[in-house]
Amino acid sequence: MSKRLVEVRDVSVVFHKKAMFKKTRTVEAVKSVSFGIDTGETLGLVGESGSGKSTTGRAVLKLVPVASGDITVAGQNLTDLNGRALRRARRRMQMVFQDPYSSLDPSATVAASISEPLMVHDHVSARAARTRALELIELVGLRASHADRYPYEFSGGQRQRIAIARAIALNPDFIVCDEAVSALDVSTQNQVINLLERLRTEFDLAYLFIAHDLAIVRHISHRVAVMYLGRIVESGPAERVYNEPAHPYTQALLSAIPNPSPHRRSERRIVLAGEVPDPARPPSGCPFRTRCAFAMDICAERMPEHTAIDGGGEVACHLQTSGPELSGAPLGDLTAAAIRPA
Amino acid sequence: MTQNQGLHSTEPPIMTAGTMPRPKKPEEPAVRRRRAGRFGQLARRFAGNKPALAGGVLLFVILVVTMGAPLFAPYTPEQINIADRLSGPTPAHWLGTDALGRDTLSRLLFGGQVSLAASALSVAIATLIGLPLGILAGYVGRGPDWLLNRASDILMTFPALVLTIAIIAVVGPGLTTAMISLGIVYSARLFRVIRSATLVVRQEVYIEASISIGTPGRTILLRRILPNVLPPLLIQISFLLASALLAEVTISLLGLGALPPTASWGSMLGQAFAEIRGTPSLAVFPGIAIALATLSFNLVGDGLRDSFGRATRKAEG
Amino acid sequence: MTGTEPSGSLLSIEDLRIDFVTDRGWVNVLNGVSFDIGKNEIVVLVGESGSGKTVTSLSVLGLVPRAHSRKTSGHIWYDGKDLTELPIGELRDIRGNEISMIFQEPMTSLNPAFTVGDQIAEAYRRHRGGKKKAALARAAEMLDLVGIPNAAARLRDYPHEFSGGMRQRAMIAMALICEPRLLIADEPTTALDVTVQAQIVELLIRLRDETGCGILFITHDLGVVAELADKVVVMYAGEVVETSVARDLYIQPKHPYTEGLLAAMPQQGVRGEELPTIPGRTPEPWSMPSGCRFGPRCSHAVEECGKAVIPLSVVDNGRSCRCCRSGDLALGGVR
Amino acid sequence: MLRLLGARLLTMVPLLLVVSFLIYGLIALVPGGPETALAGSNPTPEKLAMVREQLGLNEPFLVQYWNWFSAAVQGDLGKSFVNGQSVWSAIAGGFPVTLSLVILTLLIAAVLGLGLGLAAALRPGSWIDRTATVIASLFMSLPYFWVGMMLVLVFAIDLRVLPAIGYVPFAQSPTDWFLHLITPAFALAIVPVAVVARQTRAAVTGVMTEDYVRTAEAKGLRPVRLVGKHVLKNAAVPVVTAFGVEANRLIGATVVMEQLFALPGVGKLTYFSVFSRDFPMVQGILLITAILIMFVNLAVDLSYGYFNPKIKAT
């Protein structure tokens, strides 16, 4: 336990959008993001659309070109790996995708999909791959009789189980789950979450769990990182981030979680004005300042540094460092007075 | 249908006029269906589609009678019989004779061989060029894609028929040259279809999944992309066969393709036009033969398109 | 709180049964759906995929395609008229005028070929007539009302120039431009980010307070609507299984399916423990179980549940429930 | 819009250069060289050399091309091998005939194809839809020149209500112009009618299932406005594309049709030039055809921007 498995340092991803007769647009989708994940640990990565969370997940697996920074998985530095060496390294890390309807090849049977990693990496015989595929099918809670069927015969939840079986086929150390349950119905969603949790403890897996649904992330993550416009604005142990959010954006996100309890109706909700800015034209300084109720002059000038905070983790917010009259004051005391409902 | 829904959609797609509520497939289908697979399912849907089935049967019959022409034809196609020239349908000559007294039925059967083989030749050439290049351009993108696209742009600046005729002007008449050049012209059309289908497939998450597994590019091309661009390819091939047949007929009709005394449906029509006042039946029967063959290709193409379903139609662009 | 006397109700759905034609012939998708919406009331219709909630909402305005569906019984009463029997011309006069609707996908629900202003103004001109210029001015007011800055200039934008949240605001502006008495919102926040979702919910509550229209809000997520709903209608497999005043439903559900849905909300889970699930999945319309449709998945099921058809019966205080054990079960609500 | 037009015209320039180069290059492939076409049936080496000299074929290929291309840009496409006539004036002489035929054909295709497709799309599954589908399938499969022959057989030979062959200029007698063209135009139109009808049906039924059509329905719009405004503009892109493709194909088909109906247009000229190996004429025709088709494609592309503002933006 608690051996560092994944180390991501200052990773940036830049996309170039070409258009005829127009300037090439450069979008820095991920900006010097750093985090680590221990063996057997789940890191929840949350953010809204356009926050760069999915791109970060792909960058860790080098599925998108990484502009700068270092990625180490299980002691192997992926940064400069390419071609065959990269393909080989991929056996230790896998991915489960968001849309269960398109992540399986419609022309391949379930068994064929699940055996793909076995055939590619272990060069096992077709028969051995099939035997293993059948085991995996039962491990994720489907029946062996499902092996020769095609994806269209399955529901979303079942397809996601098949995708998970494919991901764990090679006993990887690390799986990126990119919105793995967000396309599913509430009751099915929980079945898949429980499966993921069971597999994690059974095989000592580490997850990077990417989601926009904060309630789910809270349930399964040991630590949480919050992204906004390509940057991690706050990270730390799940309990600390959820109970004492330090960044105004985290606070707003948390207060936007739909609250099912009618007892707590009176609780103040922070409704953020506006929407996430265009990632191609991010605001100067702190990316959140355009929607932040506490924005100060300095926020437009400088990107705040990541600072360690009590209770664990880091936050990138001027309020925590150089907020003149706020220095040292815990943010929680301010919220009630300062936040106006929209 | 389901993949068209938004990320968070949990409700079946909404119906407006024209759509049908498509039920999701049941969890436990009939036991015997298990091994049927995607192409088995396709075959079942195709057979359930009456026009498509009729087209398939018609095509089969046409192929059998033309390829078996030596067995079925009452005369040889070049047998001249001046005494019986330009006869209408008679018991001896069911479909009549031409200006040299040659039997129209026999010439139709043998001519069909020539015409169909010629169209198959040009479509085969188009496939051999268009399929690999289309997949290459769609999968690799960047430079090769740009270059191949410009090349197909250039080929598409000319009507297929005009370009083929121009090539004939240079290298001289003859069916084989004509069909080879036609095949090259058609390869541009096929290239476009395959390229856009590949682009669609390449965007699919299951390709990214294969990459993330560490599957080599070659395996991805063969096992993931190729099977999934087959549907639009098959559809396009059946339509191209219809076009190629028509082009063969046109070129031979103009006297630039099949040369006398070889019978082809086109050359027969060309000769018939001169006699249309006296012996209209000479023009009628080849026309019907061409129409039936074209119809069968089109019906099969439509049937495939319907059987492969909506997703494919999108890929065709 | 709201009383839902039939006399005071704005819209009343009564025993609605609808069949769809599929590859397998006619299948039943709505089976005896009944509930009322009162004036100025927000009714939330909750259900998972295949529950029939969207079909219910579409059938109010007759937007279920007639060629592929048939009504086998039931009425939708509005203003003394049965909307299901109303001639299509009269129904069109009600659509977008007295009753209007917004949809789940703001990205695809606006026509990409016309400007936003044109599409908002179009609803107004259809029902109120007048010059295009006047209608556009009115559309600008509406955009302003739903919180789009610089409204007059943005009228000339095409939908693709709007973000998701703004498009949903534009849809709301379009729906409200004729001051309807009822707004039907079919999963209006599902496709949006959490912070934008919160904005839209706040906006709907504000607009209800300002304009006094009733709202039928369709969703699959009980969490989204806890603070919005006056009344909740829970649907499962084409049937209403429970109706209740919102607060009571959350505190003490009467139907085991409602209990399951509430427990399955991840907010309700205890860290480190397995999340509660409802085993199995919603039955397909052509393979409905006999008796209680939730029976095969229900942990409280007894032999009786598989036999007779269970009616929707009044349990107490205006609540109704479709469960033969509603009297003897004590189910848990939210914590 | 103007900027876009200018930009698109600019991209046509390199394409035109390459295309013209290929067209001129074609004659380099002639077995024995193009001079064989002009030197008679049994040419002596001296005669061949003389012809080469006359045609400037002794110059380096690139120089030859440049001479041809720069003259072509100034409107001089050379002279016919066969009768010494200016290529430009020969093409210009046949152009009105071919243009008349193509435009009449496209008109028929538009009226019948759109009508049929729309009628089918608005009542999917009805008898109108089924009839239209059958008609489209049949029309797709009929060889157009054969249909032309059959029409001549019925209307000109048996019924004697239409002239069989020949052409009368519009300026001379509009009625005769029309009567002479209607048969070939109708025969040419059958495939475009089928294609346009199918595209229209597919596009309209596709658009009818879009969310925004349901939105418009929920607004209370009546069918005429719903279809006339919201559906048609969105369905137009594939239909216009089909028109573009068919226009391209039609230009090829006129070669046969003008031959069959003895219409003195560019198609007949093409056929005659190919048969008599009149290379300057073939080159000129190819060049003009390529330019025409580039403009048709440009018009189609520009129309996308109108029908779908999102395309314009990207």
Side-chain angles (χ1 to χ4, degrees):
Chain A
M1 248 331 245
S2 87
K3 196 183 113 234
R4 185 57 33 129
L5 181 72
V6 179
E7 190 69 62
V8 171
R9 206 178 297 277
D10 282 330
V11 162
S12 297
V13 178
V14 179
F15 291 123
H16 302 279
K17 279 192 185 165
K18 275 185 195 156
M20 260 225 282
F21 315 120
K22 279 189 187 153
K23 261 197 189 156
T24 302
R25 287 199 337 156
T26 305
V27 180
E28 206 176 350
V30 175
K31 290 169 204 166
S32 58
V33 159
S34 304
F35 56 84
I37 307 174
D38 292 343
T39 308
E41 188 191 41
T42 302
L43 173 67
L45 190 60
V46 296
E48 297 180 277
S49 51
S51 63
K53 58 186 191 303
S54 281
T55 310
T56 305
R58 283 170 164 77
V60 175
L61 298 186
K62 289 210 58 182
L63 287 170
V64 289
V66 174
S68 64
D70 272 308
I71 299 161
T72 312
V73 176
Q76 185 170 25
N77 191 328
L78 303 183
T79 317
D80 298 316
L81 285 191
N82 267 314
R84 182 184 292 251
L86 178 61
R87 282 209 309 274
R88 255 198 228 120
R90 286 199 164 130
R91 69 167 301 151
R92 313 206 55 180
M93 46 196 203
Q94 294 288 319
M95 184 151 178
V96 176
F97 295 87
Q98 167 172 13
D99 183 356
Y101 289 92
S102 59
S103 64
L104 297 170
D105 182 349
S107 67
T109 61
V110 168
S113 283
I114 296 177
S115 355
E116 182 175 346
L118 299 166
M119 311 275 267
V120 165
H121 288 285
D122 290 351
H123 307 288
V124 295
S125 69
R127 176 182 297 235
R130 189 180 166 79
T131 314
R132 174 86 176 116
L134 292 178
E135 284 171 30
L136 288 162
I137 288 171
E138 293 191 336
L139 183 65
V140 297
L142 296 173
R143 263 167 280 144
S145 62
H146 288 136
D148 296 313
R149 295 206 192 152
Y150 287 83
Y152 72 88
E153 299 177 66
F154 295 91
S155 68
Q158 289 174 315
R159 286 182 204 218
Q160 212 55 308
R161 286 172 190 268
I162 297 166
I164 291 169
R166 175 173 63 184
I168 59 170
L170 294 165
N171 292 319
D173 305 306
F174 171 53
I175 299 182
V176 175
C177 302
D178 183 12
E179 301 265 13
V181 297
S182 60
L184 307 175
D185 262 339
V186 200
S187 54
T188 327
Q189 183 169 298
N190 290 1
Q191 295 171 3
V192 174
I193 294 276
N194 289 342
L195 172 66
L196 284 172
E197 274 297 274
R198 202 187 83 214
L199 294 171
R200 185 182 63 77
T201 44
E202 209 166 307
F203 299 108
D204 219 9
L205 287 165
Y207 291 139
L208 176 61
F209 193 89
I210 300 166
H212 67 275
D213 186 334
L214 285 94
I216 289 179
V217 171
R218 170 176 213 169
H219 187 83
I220 83 160
S221 303
H222 301 98
R223 287 185 305 118
V224 175
V226 181
M227 283 190 80
Y228 187 82
L229 220 59
R231 294 183 190 271
I232 292 183
V233 295
E234 177 165 7
S235 61
E239 289 306 317
R240 201 278 296 152
V241 174
Y242 278 81
N243 295 331
E244 297 161 58
H247 197 284
Y249 177 62
T250 316
Q251 294 184 337
L253 265 186
L254 289 176
S255 84
I257 299 181
N259 184 347
S261 169
H263 301 299
R264 280 183 278 170
R265 267 200 198 198
S266 53
E267 234 175 61
R268 252 293 141 74
R269 163 181 275 187
I270 310 164
V271 175
L272 287 178
E275 292 174 45
V276 183
D278 180 356
R281 281 182 300 252
S284 63
C286 172
F288 185 60
R289 69 174 170 84
T290 53
R291 299 171 75 193
C292 183
F294 310 103
M296 304 169 286
D297 290 343
I298 189 172
C299 301
E301 290 157 19
R302 256 186 322 114
M303 173 66 202
E305 301 286 325
H306 284 268
T307 337
I309 45 174
D310 294 345
E314 293 184 332
V315 65
C317 179
H318 287 302
L319 288 175
Q320 299 293 336
T321 44
S322 44
E325 69 280 317
L326 299 164
S327 50
L331 197 55
D333 302 344
L334 286 161
T335 42
I339 294 173
R340 311 170 293 274
Chain B
M1 295 229 64
T2 343
Q3 59 265 44
N4 296 344
Q5 296 179 26
L7 308 184
H8 315 284
S9 159
T10 56
E11 193 73 345
I14 308 307
M15 282 73 47
T16 329
T19 37
M20 244 194 253
R22 287 250 196 115
K24 281 198 212 123
K25 293 293 178 220
E27 192 173 351
E28 302 289 343
V31 185
R32 291 302 300 161
R33 277 179 47 190
R34 281 209 283 132
R35 275 273 173 191
R38 206 163 67 117
F39 282 87
Q41 217 216 352
L42 166 76
R44 231 177 309 113
R45 262 189 264 167
F46 190 88
N49 179 343
K50 272 183 220 150
L53 192 63
V57 171
L58 183 61
L59 181 60
F60 181 74
V61 171
I62 291 172
L63 285 178
V64 167
V65 299
T66 52
M67 294 310 142
L71 295 175
F72 300 113
Y75 304 89
T76 64
E78 275 120 51
Q79 190 177 327
I80 295 172
N81 178 1
I82 300 294
D84 269 349
R85 67 187 291 266
L86 293 178
S87 80
T90 62
H93 301 279
W94 290 359
L95 302 183
T97 58
D98 67 6
L100 297 174
R102 295 177 294 197
D103 180 56
T104 303
L105 176 61
S106 307
R107 286 178 68 73
L108 267 187
L109 295 182
F110 280 97
Q113 274 186 7
V114 174
S115 297
L116 293 174
S119 20
L121 172 68
S122 65
V123 175
I125 289 171
T127 311
L128 283 176
I129 302 173
L131 176 64
L133 293 184
I135 290 186
L136 178 80
Y139 189 66
V140 177
R142 292 189 291 262
D145 185 37
W146 187 89
L147 205 71
L148 288 166
N149 258 317
R150 298 292 82 75
S152 83
D153 278 351
I154 290 166
L155 274 180
M156 307 261 277
T157 0
F158 301 99
L161 194 61
V162 171
L163 190 54
T164 310
I165 290 177
I167 293 173
I168 290 172
V170 171
V171 295
L175 194 53
T176 315
T177 20
M179 295 326 273
I180 291 173
S181 30
L182 193 67
I184 295 169
V185 178
Y186 281 168
S187 70
R189 273 162 69 173
L190 204 65
F191 165 80
R192 296 225 161 161
V193 171
I194 297 299
R195 173 183 174 272
S196 55
T198 308
L199 279 177
V200 170
V201 175
R202 201 186 65 163
Q203 307 274 310
E204 294 285 351
V205 182
Y206 58 79
I207 299 297
E208 199 184 1
S210 278
I211 296 172
S212 77
I213 284 168
T215 308
R218 178 171 27 93
T219 317
I220 293 178
L221 273 178
L222 285 177
R223 294 277 177 76
R224 295 282 169 260
I225 299 213
L226 191 61
N228 287 297
V229 300
L230 276 185
L233 174 71
L234 286 178
I235 294 165
Q236 196 59 29
I237 282 181
S238 32
F239 291 136
L240 270 187
L241 278 170
S243 300
L245 179 65
L246 202 66
E248 183 284 324
V249 172
T250 314
I251 292 165
S252 296
L253 172 87
L254 292 172
L256 300 170
L259 300 172
T262 309
S264 91
W265 289 346
S267 63
M268 290 176 71
L269 259 189
Q271 290 148 17
F273 196 52
E275 311 290 347
I276 198 159
R277 279 171 198 276
T279 320
S281 65
L282 262 185
V284 172
F285 294 115
I288 291 176
I290 298 163
L292 285 179
T294 318
L295 184 66
S296 72
F297 288 135
N298 284 337
L299 288 178
V300 169
D302 287 343
L304 287 173
R305 198 204 298 257
D306 291 348
S307 308
F308 281 123
R310 240 180 105 178
T312 317
R313 224 171 299 170
K314 244 194 285 163
E316 259 177 287
Chain C
M1 278 280 125
T2 40
T4 52
E5 314 292 315
S7 56
S9 71
L10 179 62
L11 186 92
S12 175
I13 300 182
E14 216 178 278
D15 191 37
L16 190 65
R17 283 168 211 270
I18 288 179
D19 293 350
F20 275 173
V21 70
T22 68
D23 301 347
R24 297 153 188 271
W26 289 97
V27 296
N28 174 266
V29 292
L30 286 191
N31 187 28
V33 170
S34 305
F35 62 90
D36 296 331
I37 302 165
K39 288 172 181 137
N40 199 18
E41 187 181 39
I42 299 185
V43 175
V44 168
L45 189 58
V46 179
E48 292 184 285
S49 323
S51 62
K53 58 187 191 297
T54 292
V55 177
T56 306
S57 69
L58 288 176
S59 58
V60 173
L61 285 179
L63 292 172
V64 180
R66 285 166 193 228
H68 304 297
S69 65
R70 64 178 185 206
K71 184 190 84 168
T72 53
S73 79
H75 310 278
I76 299 175
W77 295 110
Y78 169 78
D79 219 9
K81 293 169 283 198
D82 181 357
L83 294 182
T84 64
E85 300 293 337
L86 209 60
I88 182 71
E90 283 178 50
L91 189 60
R92 284 198 187 105
D93 289 339
I94 292 177
R95 288 177 183 169
N97 185 18
E98 290 172 57
I99 303 177
S100 55
M101 195 158 177
I102 59 177
F103 300 96
Q104 173 175 348
E105 289 288 343
M107 294 295 171
T108 55
S109 292
L110 286 166
N111 193 327
F114 300 97
T115 61
V116 172
D118 179 294
Q119 294 182 64
I120 298 174
E122 186 181 31
Y124 190 76
R125 290 188 75 203
R126 160 67 179 86
H127 297 289
R128 300 279 189 274
K131 290 254 163 42
K132 185 157 189 180
K133 205 168 167 190
L136 279 173
R138 169 91 180 132
E141 279 172 36
M142 290 308 296
L143 273 189
D144 193 54
L145 179 71
V146 297
I148 289 185
N150 201 6
R154 306 234 49 175
L155 286 179
R156 285 187 297 274
D157 282 356
Y158 284 94
H160 68 264
E161 296 166 275
F162 272 35
S163 69
M166 276 164 60
R167 285 190 225 190
Q168 198 57 291
R169 287 171 192 268
M171 284 292 291
I172 295 171
M174 186 193 298
L176 295 184
I177 195 166
C178 292
E179 297 168 332
R181 294 167 68 194
L182 175 65
L183 174 69
I184 302 173
D186 185 2
E187 304 231 18
T189 61
T190 307
L192 303 173
D193 273 324
V194 261
T195 58
V196 182
Q197 194 168 309
Q199 294 170 357
I200 298 290
V201 169
E202 297 258 325
L203 174 67
L204 285 175
I205 297 177
R206 198 190 90 212
L207 290 173
R208 191 270 306 258
D209 295 344
E210 282 175 16
T211 66
C213 65
I215 295 179
L216 175 61
F217 192 104
I218 291 106
T219 180
H220 66 277
D221 185 350
L222 272 166
V224 174
V225 291
E227 54 200 274
L228 174 85
D230 295 320
K231 189 166 88 184
V232 178
V233 177
V234 184
M235 287 189 72
Y236 178 78
E239 293 178 334
V240 171
V241 295
E242 178 165 6
T243 11
S244 167
V245 168
R247 196 184 169 81
D248 296 353
L249 182 114
Y250 285 94
I251 294 169
Q252 194 194 22
K254 288 286 181 189
H255 195 283
Y257 176 64
T258 317
E259 181 196 37
L261 273 186
L262 288 173
M265 286 189 294
Q267 300 85 315
Q268 291 287 301
V270 178
R271 258 199 60 82
E273 281 177 22
E274 282 216 338
L275 284 167
T277 59
I278 306 174
R281 45 194 282 229
T282 312
E284 302 291 352
W286 52 84
S287 57
M288 284 297 174
S290 60
C292 175
R293 291 183 168 184
F294 186 62
R297 299 176 71 186
C298 180
S299 53
H300 307 288
V302 291
E303 203 182 324
E304 191 193 339
C305 301
K307 288 177 184 161
V309 172
I310 319 283
L312 185 68
S313 47
V314 174
V315 281
D316 60 54
N317 183 26
R319 300 181 67 175
S320 46
C321 175
R322 193 187 291 273
C323 175
C324 60
R325 300 191 62 195
S326 58
D328 63 273
L329 288 176
L331 304 173
V334 294
R335 282 185 284 269
Chain D
M1 197 67 185
L2 270 178
R3 231 186 91 211
L4 185 69
L5 181 69
R8 291 299 311 265
L9 283 172
L10 272 180
T11 58
M12 275 168 63
V13 172
L15 183 62
L16 189 63
L17 274 171
V18 176
V19 165
S20 66
F21 185 78
L22 291 179
I23 290 172
Y24 190 79
L26 257 187
I27 62 160
L29 299 174
V30 175
E35 62 272 22
T36 51
L38 208 54
S41 49
N42 252 328
T44 59
E46 294 76 32
K47 179 100 192 270
L48 277 175
M50 202 181 79
V51 176
R52 285 187 71 83
E53 186 62 44
Q54 274 176 1
L55 294 176
L57 292 176
N58 291 330
E59 307 255 16
F61 181 75
L62 279 177
V63 175
Q64 290 177 43
Y65 163 70
W66 184 247
N67 290 339
W68 175 74
F69 184 74
S70 50
V73 170
Q74 292 160 39
D76 175 13
L77 289 168
K79 287 192 168 49
S80 162
F81 275 7
V82 177
N83 53 18
Q85 193 192 3
S86 141
V87 169
W88 176 249
S89 67
I91 294 175
F95 194 69
V97 182
T98 306
L99 191 68
S100 305
L101 187 58
V102 169
I103 287 179
L104 199 57
T105 307
L106 286 177
L107 270 180
I108 297 174
V111 172
L112 286 185
L114 287 176
L116 224 69
L118 209 53
L122 294 182
R123 296 258 176 284
S126 69
W127 66 269
I128 303 177
D129 183 25
R130 287 198 300 270
T131 316
T133 307
V134 171
I135 292 178
S137 284
L138 282 180
F139 274 22
M140 282 285 279
S141 310
L142 291 177
Y144 55 93
F145 36 82
W146 182 69
V147 172
M149 290 182 196
M150 294 298 114
L151 290 174
V152 167
L153 195 61
V154 174
F155 291 101
I157 297 173
D158 284 357
L159 301 176
R160 292 167 192 282
V161 289
L162 287 175
I165 54 173
Y167 177 74
V168 175
F170 185 82
Q172 195 175 323
S173 158
T175 327
D176 280 346
W177 171 84
F178 181 76
L179 290 179
H180 278 90
L181 284 179
I182 186 68
T183 319
F186 191 82
L188 278 176
I190 55 161
V191 174
V193 165
V195 170
V196 170
R198 296 177 130 207
Q199 278 297 359
T200 308
R201 184 189 181 277
V204 169
T205 47
V207 172
M208 292 292 271
T209 67
E210 293 286 349
D211 287 351
Y212 54 78
V213 171
R214 191 187 49 195
T215 306
E217 239 179 312
K219 258 189 255 184
L221 294 192
R222 298 187 183 93
V224 174
R225 192 165 175 81
L226 186 78
V227 174
K229 178 178 174 182
H230 288 266
V231 175
L232 282 189
K233 195 172 172 192
N234 283 286
V237 166
V239 176
V240 171
T241 309
F243 265 102
V245 171
E246 288 308 308
N248 179 326
R249 219 183 44 81
L250 268 182
I251 294 176
T254 54
V255 176
V256 191
M257 235 34 184
E258 292 180 6
Q259 184 60 23
L260 283 180
F261 283 82
L263 300 172
V266 181
K268 194 168 192 307
L269 185 67
T270 311
Y271 178 69
F272 182 75
S273 314
V274 167
F275 235 78
S276 53
R277 307 185 74 201
D278 190 349
F279 296 117
M281 198 64 94
V282 172
Q283 287 169 336
I285 292 169
L286 283 178
L287 189 67
I288 300 290
T289 309
I291 292 172
L292 255 175
I293 286 178
M294 283 180 205
F295 274 102
V296 170
N297 291 346
L298 177 66
V300 169
D301 276 6
L302 289 179
S303 80
Y304 293 165
Y306 168 74
F307 292 122
N308 186 349
K310 210 170 161 181
I311 293 181
K312 196 160 55 184
T314 48

